Amino acid sequence: MLTKQSSPQSIAAGPGLIRDPTPDDPYRYQYGFGNHHSTEAIPGALPPNGTSLPQKGRYGLYAEHLNGTSFISSRDSVSNVWMYRERPAAAHTPPEPVEQPHHIEASFLPTNPNISFIPLGYTWGPLNTPSPHQTTTFIEGLKTIGGHGDATIKEGLAVHQYAFNADMRRQSLVNHDGELLLLPHRGVLDIQTELGMLRVRPGDLAVLPTGIHFSISIVRATTDHHPPPAATGYALELFGSRFHLPDLGVLGANALAHVRDFAYPVARFDISSTPTHIQPPTTPWTTTIKLAGALSTYKQPHTPFNVAAWHGRHAPYRYTLSRFSHLTANTDQLDPTAYTVLTAPSKWPGVSLVDVCVFGEKWAVARDTLRVPYYHRTVATEIGGVLVGGYMGSVRPLVAGGLSFEQSYMPHGESYEAYVRACEADNDVPVKVGEGYLGFMFHISSHVALTRWAMEEHPDIRPERPGLWDSLRGHLMDHIDEVNASLVRAGMPTLGAEHSSSLTPPATPEGGAVTTTDNDPDADGSCHA
């Protein structure tokens, strides 16, 4: 007799992964770096599939398109977003220039008298937080340290520090110059954008695309005994380029920063429109435009944050740096770019404009290898800072919230004392380094100019300590017996006190040069103080 079989039970997933609010973060997010996201705060606000510009938008919403790339671009490089909003962004008063002085630069060509290309290294401390009696917003607290290129030719970048203590109330900023990456050092940021909200803490980074309106506030503590809130941190601005994840090559699919850890906002909007017979609010919204480093403002009676739905790739996002997967090496050292979270291409094929590198807790396991940064010179300018913990280097007077600068091709490395300690350390034992530490480096593939403000007016300029390199000594002559033994075996004249310090191997009958071998039993390669 045949019996009826029950159907297997199946469970289907709901909509794409959306992270729900938590006690520390009241906002919802969608995930996936570079995805074409679709989100709506009102069900059905997005047009049906196959169209982005319906003849008549549902719920009376206006369709608005923002293009972050040229219309004719490769499919993988296109960055745009369709927004469906209560009122279009075009409804505002004519922009007027801001007369108030500021310290923002967007041109780093030698013709700009406010910048200078110098070989001198610099270290700065954190910016001072404004007095509680002085209200400073993010716009007013942004100070340019240096940069490369020019925003008007859409090539280059700018590095800034910021310090502010006031929310942008009924204010927004739209940056026409480039994509902006924020790295908070102190203070939790509440970032409202046209496309939704981001909560960004120290230890996170946030990227705000070119042309997106945003407003930044500071998250207040829930108890009254906390000091007045203030925020400090860093910003990296790209002119013309955009941030990408680095290619992984032989590392495979699961190294460095994972695509799934980049959080994007869901649609969220404020309602500000009123019936036509009611007067608009007496306090208008003010939008500040940053264009070629200059500031202008315009007014409008309604909020710019009125987007009920959107779809596209040109969107802000957040990444938590502690999720980065650090690499280790059994021998030698990995270049700093092995710790790249985000990279941005330059106009030269295959060459990055800047690599954003992060340094946190990891294991040092390389044997018979110098484990401190070696002495080096490089085409890249290195600008670094500390987000959490104490600086682990021995040369710079760098502290959390501060910044260091080393111009391209300038020689640098650790102090002589740190070098000697590293030479004599037991490298047969793995060591965990960077506990409680989080730092970053902007690895910039070009010369970088510093602003006059950074060189002369920054409140905490920290010069290199006098006599830093006076203790350094040469050790070649300490090994004179080993050196001469190697020279004798090679058929070369020995080196003594009366000889010149330069030594050229004699030519062989074939025209080559006599060289020593790598397995010389008398060459122990040790360092002696």
Side-chain angles (χ1 to χ4, degrees):
M1 179 178 179
L2 296 177
T3 59
K4 184 178 180 181
Q5 300 292 322
S6 60
S7 300
Q9 185 178 13
S10 64
I11 300 175
L17 177 63
I18 302 290
R19 203 207 73 171
D20 290 328
T22 66
D24 295 329
D25 190 338
Y27 308 126
R28 303 171 72 216
Y29 299 94
Q30 51 194 336
Y31 291 88
F33 184 88
N35 283 0
H36 188 112
H37 294 285
S38 298
T39 173
E40 50 189 15
I42 305 175
L46 285 173
N49 292 338
T51 179
S52 293
L53 187 60
Q55 182 181 11
K56 189 175 182 180
R58 195 172 183 189
Y59 309 126
L61 297 172
Y62 291 87
E64 183 175 279
H65 187 220
L66 173 58
N67 232 356
T69 50
S70 301
F71 285 109
I72 300 178
S73 299
S74 62
R75 180 177 286 271
D76 64 343
S77 69
V78 167
S79 180
N80 66 336
V81 61
W82 278 97
M83 294 173 277
Y84 303 90
R85 56 196 314 153
E86 183 191 15
R87 294 190 186 186
H92 59 74
T93 62
E96 297 180 355
V98 174
E99 303 296 340
Q100 183 177 353
H102 58 79
H103 299 287
I104 299 174
E105 295 288 342
S107 176
F108 302 94
L109 303 179
T111 52
N112 183 355
N114 294 324
I115 60 96
S116 196
F117 288 91
I118 61 170
L120 181 66
Y122 265 83
T123 305
W124 302 273
L127 289 182
N128 297 329
T129 56
S131 163
H133 306 293
Q134 173 189 1
T135 58
T136 301
T137 65
F138 173 79
I139 303 172
E140 298 161 335
L142 192 65
K143 311 293 184 183
T144 306
I145 298 296
H148 161 73
D150 190 292
T152 63
I153 59 176
K154 296 188 180 297
E155 174 65 24
L157 52 81
V159 177
H160 316 273
Q161 283 183 292
Y162 67 77
F164 66 98
N165 65 349
D167 298 343
M168 294 170 60
R169 298 186 183 276
R170 300 186 74 83
Q171 299 178 67
S172 70
L173 173 64
V174 56
N175 186 10
H176 292 190
D177 288 336
E179 192 159 270
L180 193 65
L181 181 148
L182 300 178
L183 282 167
H185 155 247
R186 175 187 174 191
V188 179
L189 305 183
D190 222 34
I191 305 179
Q192 185 172 19
T193 78
E194 291 180 276
L195 306 187
M197 302 291 298
L198 294 174
R199 180 65 59 91
V200 185
R201 299 176 177 79
D204 295 340
L205 65 77
V207 173
L208 304 171
T210 312
I212 291 283
H213 290 251
F214 64 90
S215 180
I216 300 182
S217 302
I218 306 171
V219 177
R220 267 61 180 170
T222 56
T223 55
D224 294 332
H225 64 273
H226 281 76
T232 59
Y234 314 89
L236 173 63
E237 183 180 12
L238 298 182
F239 304 145
S241 188
R242 292 184 297 116
F243 288 109
H244 298 263
L245 293 180
D247 291 333
L248 294 178
V250 297
L251 295 179
N254 302 300
L256 308 184
H258 296 298
V259 172
R260 63 176 294 201
D261 288 331
F262 288 83
Y264 289 73
V266 297
R268 176 190 176 107
F269 70 102
D270 296 337
I271 300 175
S272 65
S273 64
T274 58
T276 55
H277 64 277
I278 298 178
Q279 292 295 324
T282 56
T283 304
W285 277 80
T286 300
T287 290
T288 300
I289 303 168
K290 188 171 87 69
L291 174 62
L295 302 181
S296 302
T297 62
Y298 61 73
K299 307 288 187 181
Q300 61 187 46
H302 57 278
T303 175
F305 306 115
N306 59 10
V307 177
W310 60 270
H311 74 86
R313 297 175 60 190
H314 196 71
Y317 55 87
R318 183 195 70 192
Y319 175 76
T320 299
L321 296 173
S322 62
R323 298 184 179 185
F324 185 78
S325 178
H326 279 79
L327 304 178
T328 59
N330 290 334
T331 58
D332 290 340
Q333 287 191 27
L334 298 174
D335 293 329
T337 45
Y339 310 105
T340 297
V341 178
L342 294 170
T343 186
S346 72
K347 63 182 179 182
W348 304 106
V351 177
S352 65
L353 171 65
V354 60
D355 301 305
V356 180
C357 309
V358 59
F359 309 109
E361 181 179 304
K362 65 172 186 175
W363 284 93
V365 299
R367 297 188 176 187
D368 194 24
T369 296
L370 196 68
R371 288 184 179 176
V372 296
Y374 48 89
Y375 300 109
H376 64 287
R377 293 172 289 170
T378 174
V379 65
T381 297
E382 298 177 0
I383 297 180
V386 178
L387 299 170
V388 179
Y391 178 57
M392 296 182 294
S394 61
V395 173
R396 300 264 179 214
L398 184 60
V399 296
L403 203 62
S404 68
F405 165 81
E406 195 69 62
Q407 187 67 273
S408 63
Y409 287 114
M410 287 301 295
H412 52 286
E414 289 300 315
S415 67
Y416 175 69
E417 291 76 14
Y419 172 79
V420 170
R421 286 195 299 270
C423 283
E424 303 299 336
D426 181 4
N427 275 8
D428 286 334
V429 180
V431 176
K432 184 181 287 188
V433 296
E435 289 188 272
Y437 174 82
L438 188 62
F440 70 89
M441 178 188 292
F442 301 147
H443 206 255
I444 304 167
S445 302
S446 183
H447 304 318
V448 166
L450 297 182
T451 63
R452 295 291 179 190
W453 183 87
M455 294 185 292
E456 300 171 5
E457 300 180 45
H458 193 288
D460 192 354
I461 300 175
R462 302 184 171 205
E464 187 177 276
R465 68 177 185 266
L468 172 64
W469 301 105
D470 290 353
S471 61
L472 192 145
R473 55 172 293 189
H475 296 290
L476 178 64
M477 299 309 293
D478 295 342
H479 299 264
I480 187 63
D481 292 340
E482 300 169 28
V483 171
N484 282 336
S486 296
L487 294 174
V488 168
R489 285 193 295 273
M492 299 169 61
T494 58
L495 182 64
E498 71 280 5
H499 289 81
S500 168
S501 60
S502 63
L503 194 65
T504 303
T508 64
E510 291 78 16
V514 176
T515 58
T516 58
T517 60
D518 291 336
N519 57 356
D520 186 344
D522 294 328
D524 61 5
S526 61
C527 300
H528 299 289

